[in-house]
Amino acid sequence: MAVDRRGFLKFVAGVSAGVMVTPIPWKLLDDASIWTQNWPWIPSNVDGATSYVSTVSKLCPSCVGMKVRLVGDRPVRILPDENHPLSKGGISPLAVAEAQMLYSPARVKRPLKRAADGAYVAISWEEADALLAEKLGAAKGSIACVSGDETGSINEVLSSLAVQAGSGNFYLMPTEAQPAAKALAAMGGKGQLGYDIENSDYVLAIGANVLETWGPVISTRAAYKAARPHGEDPAVQFVFAGPVQNSTAAGADQWVPIKAGTEGVFALGIAHLLIKAGATADAADFSAFKSLAEAYTPAKVAEITGTNADQLKAVAAALLKARTPLVVCGSDFGQGTGAGTVMAGIAVNMLLGGLNRKGGLKLLPVAEPVVSSAMSRAEMMDKDFVSYMSRINAGKEKAPKAMVFYEANPAYALPQATKMSEVLGQVSFKVTFTTFLDETAMLCDLVLPVPMGLERLDDVATPYGYGQALYCLARPVAPMPASVKPAGDYIVALAGKLGCSLGVSSWEEVLQAKAKAMDADWDSLMDGNVFTSDATVSANLSFAADLLAKSVNVKAQEGNFAVAPVFKLGIGTAKTAIPPYNNKLIRRWELQGNELYVAMNGATARKLGVMMHDKIVISNKSGSINARVNIFEGIMNDTITVLMGLGHTAFDQFSKGKGENVMQLLTVGFEAGTGLSVWNMAGVTISKA
């Protein structure tokens, strides 16, 4: 039958009217709306009484205190805790995500064993127990343990296991705390460095990103806020010296641009000017240090660091004028710096009379180990994991037969990440205690799921950088899934099976002993209170001038351009990757889709002949990454910034395959004098893609 134009229009009109009046499309839209709000990993609403529990975050490296809102027994929201000294009314974007992360699609839900075809298969805990005891028993004498928890007593359990298993190979993942401990030891000090930022009236942060990633950043932000009330003159001045206008530089009263890796030289330039102005210190080798500092004239420091000599003089003058000045030296991205940089910062604090005084640099007491044969904090900090891996790679040390990881992800987080993964491949048996299926878990033979911080009993002892000795507990506020086991109790029992005697029978016994060693009251801790102490360790430091002279030297970098990684707490850590809701914290020109953007200033772009959005290749002898160009003037010339925390090859759809991992470009070197592994300077070449 032929259909004319009029008939066709009538047909279309009829169909349209039918679609509009039938309930089918509206029902489908309604179903789709409901369906998309109920992905299987998103928790549904529950009924129950509302309550609040104070605890501390084991997920966030700032160890921020927090208040958990519960409905029934389910955590539904993470809030600041006004009464916790590591919160003071603030909260970190990573800690806020903890309630959501309980339901992360990347969470490991049962023990996994690598099968012969390389795939993972779920096994029972009984099978996992038998396999682990067999493998570690066979490897006795050649076991290494690696921990990603810097503040927990779990390190005593793991180090005791490593010692009693015959190797003594216990390592912490690298952070700012290790070069600081090495610096303090080299200068004859004991205890742990603490910075009393809260009571300082002038804070000079050299490299240390104190308002974003360095140390107890949330309590530092609280001190910053309290000292700068709206509409009034600030009671504290913040000055930041570093290559990038990062969060600290943006919040500071003054940003002094200096090249990456020259922080120690900048500090010695300050020391030069302070001594010229009459500053001195009661140390036996002051004359030797004075001779060293004499060489770091403003002109020389300006040449090495790229700063302006007048800015250097202005900062030194302000330090002399301040009542309680404080100098904090560290890394722009929370790792990789040398002990020499920290030593130079300690030296300036000594010249300012700032040791163990209010608003100054504190030497805090550290409790003795409570687990038999466990390493002391000083011994743990002296162990250099990157150096160990480098020795294995060079054939100077045999790979262990077995390696145990606890909440550590070295396959992603170490410099020259691909090379480090290859070294891990030399280890015959690898097991990880982890919450998430991260890059290191993907290399392991056995993956054992552990509860998250909200689900377990754990502890925090004086985070690096905090100005007081501190001890508190992470209390379980959520039901622990039946398929996971707390690592503390599990490893204590495992040690017994291997014939090791830790001197404790349970994880809670370890924590109770640690609380006693810290002079803290257990019942009070279990009520959510925090133990703090103003006690300090006697400070009779030397300048270690000879060692400082060797370690602070700046080596020539590879290539014509420098890489300055930028670490943002909200983007997550190597242990967590990017929490799903925190993807919104990534800026438009840091990541577009899966493409990484790197930033450089206009002068550097013109030198390279590139424009905004151009594709480039950044490479050096360690590796290469592809990126697009973003123009940002808050960067030194001949420097590019790269956001850390991207380029994951594991975890979930919110992290995997997004951007590139800048750790591929960070090349390991070794600091002269101390021998510490360092990667705070990375030279690269850049070309158009």
Side-chain angles (χ1 to χ4, degrees):
M1 181 179 67
V3 178
D4 60 13
R5 183 172 181 273
R6 181 185 296 272
F8 175 76
L9 292 175
K10 286 181 177 179
F11 174 76
V12 170
V15 169
S16 300
V19 168
M20 294 298 291
V21 298
T22 180
I24 294 176
W26 308 111
K27 177 62 177 170
L28 290 174
L29 283 172
D30 185 50
D31 288 348
S33 174
I34 294 171
W35 177 69
T36 54
Q37 294 178 57
N38 287 282
W39 298 107
W41 56 273
I42 295 180
S44 56
N45 289 334
V46 293
D47 294 327
T50 294
S51 61
Y52 296 87
V53 179
S54 292
T55 184
V56 65
S57 175
K58 290 296 289 185
L59 203 66
C60 178
S62 73
C63 301
V64 63
M66 56 190 187
K67 194 176 290 182
V68 183
R69 181 190 171 209
L70 300 168
V71 175
D73 63 355
R74 174 178 286 185
V76 296
R77 192 177 179 193
I78 306 297
L79 299 162
D81 187 346
E82 296 280 352
N83 298 319
H84 199 294
L86 295 175
S87 168
K88 295 177 181 172
I91 192 72
S92 75
L94 192 52
V96 163
E98 283 203 47
Q100 179 198 36
M101 296 287 278
L102 292 169
Y103 310 96
S104 167
R107 189 160 183 188
V108 185
K109 297 176 180 173
R110 56 188 64 84
L112 301 174
K113 173 189 171 185
R114 186 176 295 284
D117 62 358
Y120 279 120
V121 293
I123 60 175
S124 68
W125 273 101
E126 289 73 20
E127 291 175 278
D129 295 348
L131 176 63
L132 188 57
E134 175 200 337
K135 293 294 185 182
L136 294 190
K140 206 166 183 182
S142 185
I143 298 173
C145 297
V146 183
S147 172
D149 181 357
E150 187 179 289
T151 60
S153 295
I154 190 71
N155 298 327
E156 292 193 20
V157 175
L158 288 165
S159 65
S160 176
L161 178 66
V163 169
Q164 295 196 45
S167 73
N169 282 326
F170 169 79
Y171 298 94
L172 291 167
M173 287 292 289
T175 64
E176 300 251 27
Q178 289 140 321
K182 207 170 189 71
L184 182 59
M187 300 174 86
K190 293 183 178 178
Q192 175 180 340
L193 288 178
Y195 295 81
D196 189 8
I197 291 175
E198 185 177 352
N199 292 301
S200 173
D201 67 342
Y202 189 96
V203 177
L204 170 60
I206 308 176
N209 195 353
V210 295
L211 294 179
E212 180 62 41
T213 55
W214 180 91
V217 61
I218 305 305
S219 68
T220 301
R221 287 179 186 174
Y224 173 89
K225 178 182 175 184
R228 305 169 74 89
H230 181 69
E232 299 180 22
D233 291 336
V236 60
Q237 296 286 309
F238 274 74
V239 176
F240 175 74
V244 182
Q245 193 179 36
N246 55 23
S247 297
T248 300
D253 300 277
Q254 184 183 0
W255 170 42
V256 182
I258 63 171
K259 295 177 184 175
T262 65
E263 295 86 2
V265 171
F266 186 84
L268 287 180
I270 295 289
H272 171 97
L273 292 166
L274 296 181
I275 293 171
K276 286 287 184 186
T280 185
D282 186 19
D285 62 343
F286 173 69
S287 295
F289 178 73
K290 184 178 178 182
S291 298
L292 170 65
E294 181 68 29
Y296 288 87
T297 63
K300 179 177 178 178
V301 172
E303 179 186 350
I304 296 173
T305 66
T307 192
N308 181 301
D310 289 337
Q311 280 189 309
L312 184 74
K313 293 175 183 175
V315 171
L319 283 167
L320 285 168
K321 190 177 177 182
R323 288 179 291 102
T324 51
L326 176 64
V327 177
V328 185
C329 279
S331 164
D332 293 282
F333 53 100
Q335 56 176 269
T337 196
T341 297
V342 186
M343 291 169 67
I346 295 173
V348 175
N349 281 302
M350 291 168 67
L351 292 173
L352 293 168
L355 292 190
N356 281 345
R357 66 137 162 80
K358 188 175 181 180
L361 180 64
K362 302 287 187 69
L363 273 60
L364 307 177
V366 176
E368 292 296 317
V370 297
V371 176
S372 298
S373 305
M375 293 180 180
S376 66
R377 183 182 185 277
E379 290 171 325
M380 293 178 194
M381 291 291 165
D382 196 44
K383 302 283 281 185
D384 186 339
F385 184 45
V386 172
S387 177
Y388 176 61
M389 296 285 280
S390 299
R391 292 196 301 275
I392 295 173
N393 181 54
K396 297 178 180 177
E397 184 157 347
K398 283 186 177 180
K401 293 178 181 175
M403 198 171 270
V404 180
F405 304 101
Y406 173 75
E407 295 195 333
N409 187 10
Y412 172 84
L414 293 185
Q416 297 176 257
T418 301
K419 175 60 70 180
M420 294 299 176
S421 295
E422 292 172 4
V423 176
L424 291 177
Q426 298 180 33
V427 182
S428 303
F429 178 78
K430 298 177 284 296
V431 56
T432 183
F433 293 86
T434 184
T435 303
F436 304 108
L437 200 58
D438 57 29
E439 284 81 359
T440 300
M442 297 300 291
L443 296 176
C444 284
D445 304 281
L446 185 61
V447 180
L448 300 178
V450 296
M452 288 186 61
L454 293 179
E455 300 164 337
R456 71 187 192 226
L457 182 63
D458 211 331
D459 67 341
V460 168
T462 318
Y464 170 64
Y466 190 63
Q468 288 180 298
L470 177 148
Y471 188 71
C472 60
L473 296 178
R475 299 181 295 161
V477 299
M480 184 174 64
S483 57
V484 307
K485 288 190 177 184
D489 277 319
Y490 188 89
I491 298 172
V492 168
L494 173 67
K497 294 175 186 174
L498 296 174
C500 303
S501 176
L502 306 189
V504 291
S505 59
S506 72
W507 174 235
E508 184 168 331
E509 191 179 336
V510 173
L511 299 186
Q512 288 186 357
K514 178 57 72 175
K516 185 177 181 181
M518 295 285 295
D519 287 332
D521 180 77
W522 175 257
D523 292 335
S524 178
L525 294 172
M526 286 298 286
D527 286 338
N529 296 313
V530 180
F531 168 80
T532 58
S533 168
D534 289 324
T536 56
V537 177
S538 176
N540 187 21
L541 302 185
S542 75
F543 284 98
D546 291 343
L547 185 60
L548 183 55
K550 296 174 185 173
S551 58
V552 84
N553 271 333
V554 177
K555 295 180 180 177
Q557 67 180 25
E558 178 187 359
N560 297 322
F561 301 91
V563 172
V566 174
F567 178 28
K568 295 182 179 179
L569 210 51
I571 307 300
T573 67
K575 294 190 292 186
T576 66
I578 311 170
Y581 287 171
N582 290 19
N583 270 286
K584 66 181 73 171
L585 299 177
I586 301 174
R587 292 177 180 169
R588 184 181 183 189
W589 302 130
E590 292 173 334
L591 185 75
Q592 275 284 307
N594 291 333
E595 279 194 309
L596 173 72
Y597 270 73
V598 300
M600 63 183 71
N601 67 22
T604 304
R606 287 190 293 276
K607 191 172 184 178
L608 285 164
V610 297
M611 301 176 68
M612 183 82 182
H613 306 305
D614 277 355
K615 286 186 175 181
I616 57 174
V617 179
I618 308 159
S619 58
N620 60 18
K621 65 182 181 183
S622 296
S624 68
I625 62 175
N626 297 310
R628 287 185 183 270
V629 172
N630 176 32
I631 306 297
F632 174 56
E633 297 303 330
I635 307 171
M636 291 199 74
N637 288 345
D638 300 331
T639 301
I640 61 167
T641 66
V642 186
L643 182 63
M644 297 180 76
L646 303 176
H648 283 282
T649 58
F651 288 95
D652 50 37
Q653 66 268 38
F654 304 102
S655 301
K656 188 176 181 181
K658 293 186 179 298
E660 305 259 8
N661 183 6
V662 68
M663 301 305 289
Q664 303 284 4
L665 297 175
L666 304 185
T667 306
V668 178
F670 295 94
E671 186 178 55
T674 68
L676 184 69
S677 59
V678 291
W679 52 96
N680 57 340
M681 289 183 66
V684 293
T685 58
I686 300 174
S687 59
K688 283 188 176 181

